[in-house]
Amino acid sequence: MDEPRSGRMSGLRCLRIRRAARRLEFVGVLIACCSAVALYRYGAWAEWTNLTLGCWAVFAPFLLGFGSAQAAMWTHVLVGLCVATIAIIQLSSGSKAQMASSTKSGGR
């Protein structure tokens, strides 16, 4: 009698992992598209969007209920942290460059 129940549990877990993978693929496509557009038309909007998507990837496993699927959860968290960190670095370097250029032009 335990076999069907454990089979159902395995099926539910597999379904959660598939859904988590689809969500991560969707977020990955959005990040890639945003970054590709930023190559042609750069703006802080691209980094803010990537920062938001990275934060979403970090919190999605817990908000959407697949935090118990360890592999999917850690993949989301690590990818999200990498994307968010790179976006923060880009935002801070962009603001430093902008401050440096305004300082140079203001002194003339």
Side-chain angles (χ1 to χ4, degrees), residues 43-62:
W45 64 269
E47 303 309 330
W48 284 108
T49 303
N50 280 340
L51 178 60
T52 303
L53 291 170
C55 290
W56 170 251
V58 169
F59 294 111
F62 310 106

Side-chain angles (χ1 to χ4, degrees), residues 14-73:
C14 186
L15 182 62
R16 282 188 199 158
I17 292 171
R18 286 183 191 153
R19 286 182 182 167
R22 277 191 233 125
R23 289 179 182 128
L24 186 57
E25 288 171 359
F26 180 70
V27 171
V29 167
L30 288 176
I31 291 168
C33 289
C34 183
S35 298
V37 170
L39 290 174
Y40 294 104
R41 191 166 186 189
Y42 181 77
W45 64 269
E47 303 309 330
W48 284 108
T49 303
N50 280 340
L51 178 60
T52 303
L53 291 170
C55 290
W56 170 251
V58 169
F59 294 111
F62 310 106
L63 296 174
L64 299 177
F66 59 92
S68 62
Q70 292 293 311
M73 186 265 301

